[in-house]
Amino acid sequence: MNEVKVLLTSVFGPYGVKDEWGEELGMQMELLNNQVTRQQGVHSPRQSYLSFALYLLAENISVRSTVLDFPLWDDFVRELGQGYTHVAVSFIVPNVLKAKRMAEYIRLHYPDIKIILGGYGTIIPDLEKTVPHDDCCRGEGVRWLRAYFGDDPEAPIVHPVLNNPVYNYVYGMPTKPRGSAIFPGVGCENGCRFCITSHMFKKEHVSLLPGGREVFEVCRKADREIGAKNFMVLDENFLKHEKRARELLDEMTRAVKPYVFVTFSSAENIRRMGIDFLVRAGISRIWVGVESKRNLHDKTKGIDLKELFRELRSKGIIVLASTILFHDHHDRDTIQEEIDWVIDLDTDLVQFMNYHPWPGTPLYEDLDRESRLKNVHYRHQHGAGELNFVHPHIKNPEDHERYLKGAFRRTYERNGPSIVRMAQTALNGYLQAVKDYEERQSRGMAWNAESLRYEKNGSPEADSFMLERIKVMKEEAMRYSPSLLPALVFGPTMKSRRKTFSLMRLYSRATGRPKVTDILKSFLLTASACVEFCRVTIRRAQGHEGIVRQPPVHRVEYPGNRSVMRT
Ligand code: B12
Ligand code: SF4
């Protein structure tokens, strides 16, 4: 028998391009430009992320494997010639036709290869009728794949070190990606009615890195190997696991390593942990589901979101509020009120998404019972187009696209470019941190790691960890500074330009006269923005929303991890 060799692959590109297998709208391989800073044209920062699950899986099985991420069709076909016994495809629902094409090709040309499917696409009912396969993992994959290959499912998990993002463009200028990504766990216990990331894992949080020490060790490893100091933490509700969050801060404090994190958290957990904790722990950007003005979910009940976000921003934490359009109570008036309510929460970033019943969620089951599910092909189920259920008030599919697009447009017109807001939050946060630090010193206050509060202790020693954190906050704020000139030149309105101009002045006052290199950077970025602006304008004239960028193919070979074998 051949030695087992696995190909772990994402679906093939290009992405965000309409063809036989994929869609343009809502399907870019980007977060911000696709579903957050959409409609902001030249101002929209552009980033793409690796398909994290593939690397995690490859690190954690004893058999030899190759990860092929973002292949074009020819890359995939060529790779199949490398003698694999298994091909494992990770896919999400709207990419089902890509997974189908890949699986059918394997069946036709390599009938001996076993096909394994995993990822959110596996929630599709009767999947075998669409995508031929031998096995399918619906849920946490590391333990599943280990069991599949006869390894020890409970062996400690090895976390990969990955460069993140894959690319990063600001005003059309590529900048060097400087961070990494961490996935401490998958799933969420909250079980909100519509939420597939909770119900995919049976309303459980499945831990991959059990404690803060393990999270910190991953940071250290990434710091040593690729110099990463910033981490995108993919865990649905990072702050819910208080012990882990506390431990992470303790570890960072002990080692004086003020790493920076971008993560998700529900509002209730932010309130529980306290904003001082978040600042100290280095949360620079937080993604909060606000869902609806009516506060339909427990995680936001009784919380003054506007006040919470104001406080977070004043302390330098960039807030991304994410919300859902087309709840049942939305009609033509209330949906607009809802959009205005979210914009009025005054966050740095807003994500709008159309309500979507994914198979496996209570929402899906309820709508099925009510015979309200529509026959919309899975390829169109990306949350930016036609609803896949009958809405009581807004039935026209064109409206489903139109309201969503309009919501992004309105946010941009009212709030201006998000990049300016982020710069403002980062700078205000740095200045506030300095002020707070001085005040605490003068009042003899110190951090109490038990109560997670600053308390009077009478002996005002220097808080060396916080001093390091403040340096990092300054660096973070300074990173935005070159973007302000292009933001000013291409500002959408007079109001937005005035705001950018006063922020530029605040930067000069707070951080001193800009260095020659910074001035040069600003001019270069503005020149790049001119080119980007022309490209966006041409694409729009051709009937598209903007430029679609593609992540380059990324291939890594893994020898197999023998430490996970059964003993
Ligand atoms: C990162 C991310 C992205 C990145 C994608 C990067 C990439 N290269 O694929 C970006 C921002 C580009 C993106 C875009 C989109 N995304 Co997205 N994304 C996520 C996010 C936030 C995290 C996924 C992740 O990496 N988690 C960490 C890894 C370790 O966990 P995991 O992927 O769940 O993998 C575990 C298991 O699922 C399983 N597994 C996964 N694959 C495989 C494969 C095999 C063989 C096996 C055995 C197991 C296995 O094992 C892993 C370890 O346990 C999730 C939400 C979430 N919190 O999970 C949404 C999510 C996956 N995205 C989703 C969607 C819909 C989209 C978009 C259509 C935009 C949108 N409307 O939200 C676009 C589509 C882009 C495209 N062309 O494909 C949905 C998918 C829903 C569904 N049922 O299919 C999710 C669940 C968000 C949501 N709640 O709606 N996304
Ligand atoms: S809190 Fe967020 S991740 Fe958890 S179930 Fe609700 S929507 Fe999903």
Side-chain angles (χ1 to χ4, degrees):
M1 193 185 137
N2 288 344
E3 186 204 354
V4 174
K5 192 176 161 198
V6 192
L7 174 64
L8 288 147
T9 179
S10 56
V11 297
F12 63 94
Y15 312 99
V17 173
K18 191 168 176 64
D19 57 19
E20 220 177 303
W21 308 280
E23 293 300 315
E24 176 170 342
L25 180 69
M27 287 304 290
Q28 291 174 65
M29 198 51 89
E30 291 194 21
L31 168 67
L32 296 174
N33 197 59
N34 196 50
Q35 62 213 69
V36 179
T37 48
R38 187 176 159 195
Q39 288 291 312
Q40 298 194 12
V42 68
H43 302 285
S44 174
R46 311 291 302 259
Q47 287 188 345
S48 188
Y49 313 119
L50 293 172
S51 309
F52 303 122
L54 301 176
Y55 306 86
L56 175 70
L57 295 170
E59 288 271 11
N60 282 284
I61 48 175
S62 66
V63 298
R64 266 209 303 155
S65 64
T66 304
V67 166
L68 188 65
D69 205 357
F70 311 127
L72 290 174
W73 180 254
D74 289 349
D75 300 318
F76 171 67
V77 168
R78 207 175 313 117
E79 192 64 44
L80 288 177
Q82 301 298 312
Y84 292 101
T85 53
H86 297 73
V87 174
V89 185
S90 179
F91 74 109
I92 61 169
V93 168
N95 284 323
V96 65
L97 292 185
K98 296 194 174 201
K100 177 178 192 288
R101 186 185 184 204
M102 294 164 92
E104 285 175 348
Y105 185 88
I106 298 169
R107 281 284 192 259
L108 189 64
H109 297 277
Y110 299 91
D112 293 338
I113 290 183
K114 295 260 180 274
I115 302 172
I116 304 173
L117 302 179
Y120 284 88
T122 59
I123 61 169
I124 294 179
D126 301 327
L127 186 58
E128 58 289 347
K129 290 188 186 150
T130 322
V131 187
H133 60 275
D134 298 285
D135 289 284
C136 177
C137 164
R138 293 187 180 85
E140 202 286 297
V142 173
R143 290 167 182 96
W144 187 94
L145 206 57
R146 284 175 172 177
Y148 182 89
F149 286 118
D151 293 330
D152 176 4
E154 298 311 321
I157 286 177
V158 181
H159 196 289
V161 168
L162 301 170
N163 274 302
N164 189 65
V166 177
Y167 61 65
N168 192 27
Y169 290 86
V170 181
Y171 288 105
M173 172 90 81
T175 62
K176 198 168 175 284
R178 335 164 290 132
S180 189
I182 303 184
F183 355 105
V186 290
C188 171
E189 300 100 323
N190 277 17
C192 297
R193 184 166 174 258
F194 62 89
C195 176
I196 188 57
T197 45
S198 181
H199 294 282
M200 168 89 167
F201 301 96
K202 303 193 170 46
K203 285 180 26 183
E204 275 177 27
H205 178 265
V206 187
S207 175
L208 298 170
L209 298 171
R213 185 164 310 138
E214 286 80 0
V215 175
F216 180 69
E217 280 313 317
V218 177
C219 298
R220 286 301 295 264
K221 197 164 120 192
D223 187 357
R224 275 194 307 271
E225 293 181 16
I226 58 173
K229 308 271 191 274
N230 289 258
F231 299 88
M232 179 175 172
V233 183
L234 287 143
D235 192 311
E236 284 300 278
N237 213 336
F238 188 62
L239 298 177
K240 190 175 173 97
H241 304 271
E242 183 172 333
K243 188 164 167 279
R244 187 180 60 190
R246 281 171 175 264
E247 228 174 76
L248 174 61
L249 176 56
D250 289 347
E251 292 293 330
M252 286 194 292
T253 311
R254 226 184 326 269
V256 198
K257 288 279 175 194
Y259 294 128
V260 177
F261 304 95
V262 171
T263 194
F264 304 76
S265 174
S266 56
E268 54 173 357
N269 288 314
I270 298 176
R271 271 284 173 243
R272 190 169 45 78
M273 299 300 284
I275 294 176
D276 284 341
F277 172 85
L278 268 70
V279 173
R280 237 184 134 75
I283 311 285
S284 69
R285 189 185 300 175
I286 198 139
W287 178 308
V288 189
V290 298
E291 320 308 0
S292 171
K293 181 181 175 181
R294 287 201 186 174
N295 270 6
L296 297 173
H297 301 279
D298 289 346
K299 59 184 181 173
T300 46
K301 268 191 190 130
I303 294 176
D304 181 343
L305 292 169
K306 190 161 180 169
E307 176 53 23
L308 176 69
F309 296 157
R310 192 200 58 72
E311 278 180 57
L312 284 165
R313 293 189 68 204
S314 73
K315 299 274 185 171
I317 298 172
I318 290 169
V319 180
L320 190 162
S322 110
T323 192
I324 293 172
L325 300 184
F326 298 103
H327 281 282
D328 273 4
H329 68 268
H330 287 160
D331 57 25
R332 287 176 193 284
D333 295 327
T334 51
I335 196 168
Q336 206 51 62
E337 279 169 24
E338 191 92 84
I339 293 166
D340 289 339
W341 171 75
V342 180
I343 299 173
D344 195 44
L345 289 175
D346 203 21
T347 56
D348 303 273
L349 300 154
V350 186
Q351 173 187 256
F352 293 100
M353 190 66 57
N354 285 353
Y355 210 27
H356 193 97
W358 295 109
T361 58
L363 175 66
Y364 181 90
E365 281 153 25
D366 289 349
L367 291 173
D368 193 17
R369 220 170 297 119
E370 293 164 22
S371 304
R372 284 174 59 195
L373 290 174
K374 273 170 53 182
N375 194 14
V376 173
H377 194 285
Y378 288 117
R379 68 178 287 165
H380 300 295
Q381 298 196 18
H382 43 63
E386 178 181 0
L387 300 180
N388 68 335
F389 66 99
V390 179
H391 192 273
H393 307 291
I394 307 172
K395 301 199 190 304
N396 181 357
E398 277 167 24
D399 285 340
H400 305 154
E401 248 179 58
R402 199 169 54 80
Y403 276 105
L404 184 75
K405 184 174 170 180
F408 285 109
R409 188 78 214 159
R410 202 169 170 95
T411 310
Y412 177 49
E413 283 164 2
R414 296 233 331 237
N415 285 351
S418 296
I419 197 156
V420 177
R421 297 176 82 79
M422 293 194 278
Q424 185 161 37
T425 299
L427 182 65
N428 288 347
Y430 157 63
L431 296 174
Q432 188 63 43
V434 173
K435 218 163 114 200
D436 289 349
Y437 180 87
E438 285 165 357
E439 196 183 316
R440 285 195 299 268
Q441 288 298 297
S442 71
R443 293 175 57 198
M445 294 179 87
W447 179 248
N448 181 334
E450 269 309 304
S451 65
L452 302 187
R453 301 285 179 268
Y454 289 101
E455 289 169 0
K456 254 193 154 90
N457 78 347
S459 61
E461 269 174 32
D463 182 351
S464 51
F465 179 72
M466 199 57 205
L467 285 173
E468 290 303 310
R469 167 69 66 221
I470 288 172
K471 276 191 212 156
V472 173
M473 289 176 87
K474 182 174 183 188
E475 280 163 24
E476 287 277 310
M478 291 312 291
R479 274 198 308 121
Y480 289 103
S481 150
S483 307
L484 295 177
L485 185 59
L488 177 78
V489 173
F490 291 95
T493 57
M494 206 50 208
K495 186 177 155 215
S496 150
R497 283 195 286 273
R498 266 201 303 270
K499 195 172 143 190
T500 308
F501 186 64
S502 57
L503 183 58
M504 287 166 93
R505 291 179 53 184
L506 183 61
Y507 260 90
S508 308
R509 277 203 306 277
T511 60
R513 279 171 67 105
K515 288 190 252 156
V516 179
T517 46
D518 290 335
I519 297 174
L520 211 63
K521 256 193 221 162
S522 286
F523 279 109
L524 269 175
L525 212 54
T526 309
S528 167
C530 291
V531 177
E532 184 81 347
F533 180 79
C534 295
R535 294 181 63 205
V536 173
T537 309
I538 293 168
R539 281 283 292 173
R540 285 188 175 164
Q542 291 167 341
H544 303 277
E545 265 198 39
I547 307 161
V548 178
R549 290 194 156 88
Q550 300 298 333
V553 59
H554 192 236
R555 183 182 182 281
V556 189
E557 288 183 12
Y558 292 81
N561 178 354
R562 304 191 71 77
S563 75
V564 306
M565 290 173 93
R566 273 184 209 279
T567 45

